[in-house]
Amino acid sequence: MFLRCNRRRKDGKEHRYWSIVENRRCAGGQVVQRPVLYLGEINDSQRESWCRTIEAFDPQRDRTLPLALFPADRPMPEYATGFGVQVDLDRMELHRPRQWGACWLTCQLYEQLGLDRFWAKHLPDSRQGTCWRDILQTLVCYRLMDPGSEWRLHRLWFEQSAMGDLLGRDYGLVEKNALYRTLDKVLRHKRALFSHLQERWKDLFGAKFDVLLYDLTSTYFESPPPEDPKDKRRFGYSRDKRNDCVQVVIALIVTPEGFPLAYEVLPGNTADNTTLKGFLKKIQGQYGKAERIWVMDRGIPTEAVLEQMRTSDPPVFYLVGTPKGRLHKLESQLLELDWQAVRPGVEVKLLPHQQELYVLARSHDRVNKERAMRRRQLKALWKRLAKLHRMRLNASQLLLKLGEARGRHRMAWRLLDFQLPTGMQRSKRATFSFRLNRDKFRTARRREGRYLLRTNLCGHDPAQLWQFYIRLTEIEAAFKNLKDDLNLRPIYHQLQDRIEAHIFVAFIAYCLHVTLRARLRALAGGLTPRAVLDKFAQIQMLDVHFPTTDGRTLILSRYTQPQTDQRILLDRLGLTLPKQPPPRLTETGKLLR
């Protein structure tokens, strides 16, 4: 990088405009100069035309002073005595490049959700002046942009970001113990935050809460099992395929548009069908009784809970997927009914049964997808079995390899009949045979792409019920973002409250993610929040140091000018970049960072 001066004569006077540029080597050996930072006009003409007055903070006098900048190679005019400063442009230096754009965008999302006002009310500063709300904002923004441990935030990330510049804080904001003490303070305000978020979703996006999607997931720990019997870290069914690790279960409620409403952390050995009853009470206790529709996957509600939902006053409506065993029981009755087209590519059969309505839905796109999956698995399994049939294996070796094949191709394995070796000696070659079970194959083919739904919404449009159910993909996407994009797993905390606070911070970060996604949804369906954050992360901030002739240093903290794609995003999102930060002037002999 170097300093480039553009001269222009205007009205008979010479003007000098300074920019920081860098050389970019392109294909064919071509070198292109890219503007990094525009500094504006620094000229040596008359006062009105070449004197640029700026506001600079002088820590020696602790007040704002108007200063006029002059190049060191020209004498300072007499009228500038007392407020003129001569800078040595040849000794200009660039310091502390740091990521600014994504930090600024994340702070904008934080303010749009009103989280700055919410936490200013609930997290007052300590008597020693520790600003808990700014520490929490840093933790949330860090979790959204570049998630990692609190130790990494303290040791590395904060200095590489512009969070300190945006919040007006120094490195003391991320003192290690303060980060952990902040986690100890936030969890008690979880319920109040849920109510605040509901109002913000309603104000910003007109969100409605008459349909709620409910599901559970788990997240594991890289730590030994706890000795405390009250600790929520327990072994259980792991959605992450980590049955060797202790875990906790997370139950989440979102709207069909993906706006999170509430969540709860449960012990890792909690069964899915024991959670719904408690959540119904919590939602009714916090938001009151209303005619809500709960949409869930099979395995969550029990018959007792569904009966309670039907008989409550007012009734609680539900739409739930059913196990395939119930489809087998009702299949004979459903076969007698005709398909009804509810939308292009989707057909349903309606079966009223014992104060409920069963909806058998068939999606042609899903049929094609599941058949392609089944064909791919069956082809791979058949090829593997044929290979095993030609190998010389004893009974133990053969059974082990068959078990491996079954684990890889479970869907296709159920469609085959096997004749396995029995009572053979270890030293002799074992043989087996297999064939396709055509009855199972026809049954599987008949059920592909079909969902049996169960509801007490007997008067609703079947197309709307189908639409409600397929929106369960929103909660699956929420879990994927929490675990992968926001790095929720694994969890390394050891204390119960900090474990839940870690999940709470990830939940707040996910709320920022959802806010940005809702903004982008109206602009382009394929534009993701992560892509936009990566684009804005390219906007850097630099400290430009100009030594003065009196031994001080003028420091200009400047973010780089947005490029074309970034300017387009700013325009479409309705955002305006703030003014560049005011310059600083060091004391003589004092080093500022």
Side-chain angles (χ1 to χ4, degrees):
M1 292 185 180
F2 58 95
L3 193 67
R4 182 179 67 188
C5 177
N6 292 326
R7 290 180 173 83
R8 179 185 178 189
R9 294 195 63 82
K10 181 179 179 181
D11 298 330
K13 302 170 186 176
E14 184 181 71
H15 299 259
R16 298 196 294 180
Y17 301 92
W18 297 87
S19 298
I20 302 169
V21 299
E22 66 174 359
N23 286 334
R24 287 284 186 91
R25 188 169 297 278
C26 304
Q30 182 183 6
V31 177
V32 177
Q33 291 186 349
R34 172 181 171 266
V36 176
L37 188 65
Y38 176 70
L39 300 180
E41 181 180 2
I42 301 176
N43 58 66
D44 56 358
S45 185
Q46 300 176 0
R47 179 177 182 179
E48 293 78 13
S49 58
W50 61 264
C51 175
R52 181 181 176 210
T53 302
I54 62 172
E55 292 291 322
F57 179 73
D58 188 344
Q60 188 174 10
R61 302 185 184 183
D62 196 23
R63 63 190 180 93
T64 300
L65 297 174
L67 297 179
L69 297 184
F70 298 90
D73 58 348
R74 303 296 174 88
M76 185 185 302
E78 295 182 359
Y79 60 77
T81 303
F83 63 89
V85 176
Q86 289 182 295
V87 294
D88 189 349
L89 299 179
D90 293 335
R91 294 168 55 200
M92 181 206 71
E93 297 177 346
L94 303 180
H95 292 260
R96 288 191 63 215
R98 52 201 182 275
Q99 194 274 112
W100 182 87
C103 294
W104 173 79
L105 177 60
T106 306
C107 288
Q108 291 293 304
L109 299 172
Y110 198 87
E111 294 175 5
Q112 288 179 14
L113 278 182
L115 296 176
D116 53 340
R117 301 188 301 273
F118 175 84
W119 290 114
K121 177 181 177 182
H122 291 84
L123 283 182
D125 295 351
S126 69
R127 293 181 180 179
Q128 293 77 23
T130 304
C131 188
W132 305 114
R133 63 183 182 275
D134 284 350
I135 299 176
L136 177 60
Q137 182 172 348
T138 303
L139 284 167
V140 172
C141 295
Y142 170 60
R143 179 62 49 185
L144 178 62
M145 289 182 289
D146 188 17
S149 66
E150 286 78 10
W151 172 247
R152 175 173 172 265
L153 168 61
H154 160 76
R155 181 179 60 87
L156 182 65
W157 186 82
F158 186 80
E159 282 290 285
Q160 297 178 350
S161 74
M163 286 301 299
D165 302 87
L166 293 166
L167 297 176
R169 302 286 178 176
D170 56 18
Y171 185 73
L173 183 70
V174 292
E175 193 271 327
K176 179 169 61 70
N177 293 328
L179 293 175
Y180 292 109
R181 293 204 307 272
T182 302
L183 294 178
D184 298 335
K185 294 178 177 295
V186 299
L187 201 58
R188 68 193 69 152
H189 306 294
K190 183 171 73 170
R191 185 167 180 174
L193 180 66
F194 292 162
S195 299
H196 171 81
L197 288 173
Q198 183 195 24
E199 295 300 322
R200 293 306 297 156
W201 302 136
K202 192 182 302 181
D203 295 341
L204 290 172
F205 307 107
K208 297 181 180 179
F209 305 96
D210 51 351
V211 179
L212 302 179
L213 312 180
Y214 177 68
D215 205 353
L216 301 99
T217 190
S218 60
T219 183
Y220 63 92
F221 297 80
E222 296 284 359
S223 62
E227 297 180 358
D228 185 359
K230 297 182 180 179
D231 199 298
K232 293 183 179 181
R233 288 173 290 173
R234 288 287 178 264
F235 288 106
Y237 170 66
S238 175
R239 281 85 169 172
D240 303 315
K241 310 300 181 185
R242 290 300 305 268
N243 294 319
D244 58 319
C245 297
V246 291
Q247 64 177 18
V248 294
V249 172
I250 302 175
L252 179 66
I253 296 177
V254 303
T255 68
E257 293 78 23
F259 299 118
L261 186 62
Y263 80 95
E264 195 64 41
V265 180
L266 306 170
N269 57 359
T270 303
D272 291 0
N273 58 9
T274 64
T275 62
L276 180 59
K277 187 175 181 180
F279 243 101
L280 288 172
K281 290 182 179 179
K282 289 181 180 179
I283 294 298
Q284 290 179 352
Q286 182 164 2
Y287 302 107
K289 292 185 177 182
E291 291 188 355
R292 301 185 181 94
I293 303 173
W294 288 73
V295 184
M296 300 159 284
D297 213 341
R298 62 178 183 268
I300 293 179
T302 62
E303 289 295 332
V305 173
L306 292 179
E307 177 64 24
Q308 177 184 339
M309 296 172 75
R310 287 193 297 267
T311 58
S312 63
D313 186 24
V316 180
F317 299 107
Y318 59 84
L319 175 64
V320 59
T322 60
K324 292 185 177 180
R326 188 170 292 270
L327 174 59
H328 180 73
K329 293 178 181 179
L330 300 174
E331 194 166 20
S332 59
Q333 301 178 53
L334 290 168
L335 286 175
E336 298 176 358
L337 302 176
D338 296 327
W339 290 104
Q340 305 175 30
V342 295
R343 53 177 294 185
V346 178
E347 299 171 319
V348 299
K349 291 183 178 182
L350 305 179
L351 177 63
H353 183 74
Q354 296 180 356
Q355 298 180 337
E356 291 181 308
L357 178 67
Y358 285 87
V359 182
L360 179 62
R362 178 174 66 183
S363 168
H364 294 292
D365 291 339
R366 188 68 187 183
V367 167
N368 295 332
K369 180 179 179 180
E370 292 188 4
R371 285 182 179 173
M373 292 168 58
R374 186 250 307 153
R375 283 195 296 266
R376 185 166 58 249
Q377 278 219 7
L378 189 58
K379 182 178 180 181
L381 177 60
W382 201 276
K383 182 178 179 181
R384 177 59 177 167
L385 293 176
K387 185 176 180 180
L388 292 178
H389 194 269
R390 296 191 298 269
M391 300 174 74
R392 300 184 62 86
L393 303 170
N394 60 35
S396 298
Q397 294 172 333
L398 176 62
L399 292 177
L400 285 174
K401 292 187 178 296
L402 288 175
E404 180 187 9
R406 178 184 179 182
R408 288 189 177 183
H409 312 289
R410 290 186 179 274
M411 180 189 302
W413 184 276
R414 293 192 290 265
L415 304 179
L416 301 181
D417 290 334
F418 290 87
Q419 185 176 357
L420 301 177
T422 57
M424 297 188 64
Q425 298 180 2
R426 287 179 172 269
S427 59
K428 292 185 177 181
R429 178 185 177 185
T431 60
F432 73 102
S433 61
F434 59 94
R435 65 182 181 85
L436 181 67
N437 188 315
R438 296 187 179 277
D439 292 336
K440 291 182 180 180
F441 180 81
R442 293 190 189 97
T443 302
R445 183 178 174 84
R446 187 169 62 247
R447 293 179 178 178
E448 284 171 341
R450 292 164 173 81
Y451 301 89
L452 182 62
L453 311 180
R454 180 182 182 183
T455 181
N456 58 346
L457 292 164
C458 297
H460 268 59
D461 181 11
Q464 189 178 34
L465 296 177
W466 164 258
Q467 192 67 31
F468 286 161
Y469 186 72
I470 63 174
R471 298 303 287 180
L472 278 174
T473 55
E474 286 291 339
I475 204 166
E476 295 172 359
F479 289 143
K480 180 176 175 60
N481 283 317
L482 281 168
K483 291 183 176 183
D484 298 337
D485 200 28
L486 303 181
N487 202 17
L488 179 62
R489 61 180 179 186
I491 300 177
Y492 296 97
H493 290 284
Q494 302 297 317
L495 301 179
Q496 178 72 40
D497 288 344
R498 289 184 181 172
I499 290 170
E500 297 198 35
H502 170 84
I503 297 173
F504 186 43
V505 169
F507 174 81
I508 301 174
Y510 178 66
C511 291
L512 303 186
H513 176 96
V514 170
T515 302
L516 181 56
R517 186 181 63 181
R519 297 286 189 194
L520 297 173
R521 187 178 290 136
L523 304 179
L527 197 57
T528 64
R530 178 54 55 193
V532 173
L533 287 170
D534 290 343
K535 283 290 184 183
F536 277 89
Q538 299 171 12
I539 302 179
Q540 300 286 302
M541 175 169 275
L542 298 164
D543 288 342
V544 188
H545 287 214
F546 288 101
T548 65
T549 54
D550 58 2
R552 295 182 291 176
T553 301
L554 180 68
I555 302 177
L556 300 174
S557 296
R558 292 292 183 266
Y559 58 79
T560 57
Q561 296 301 309
Q563 299 180 9
T564 303
D565 51 354
Q566 296 158 350
R567 289 198 299 268
I568 291 174
L569 287 172
L570 286 169
D571 178 69
R572 298 297 293 158
L573 290 171
L575 297 175
T576 303
L577 293 179
K579 294 181 179 180
Q580 299 279 10
R584 295 168 290 162
L585 191 62
T586 67
E587 297 182 35
T588 303
K590 181 178 178 181
L591 178 64
L592 276 185
R593 288 186 61 82

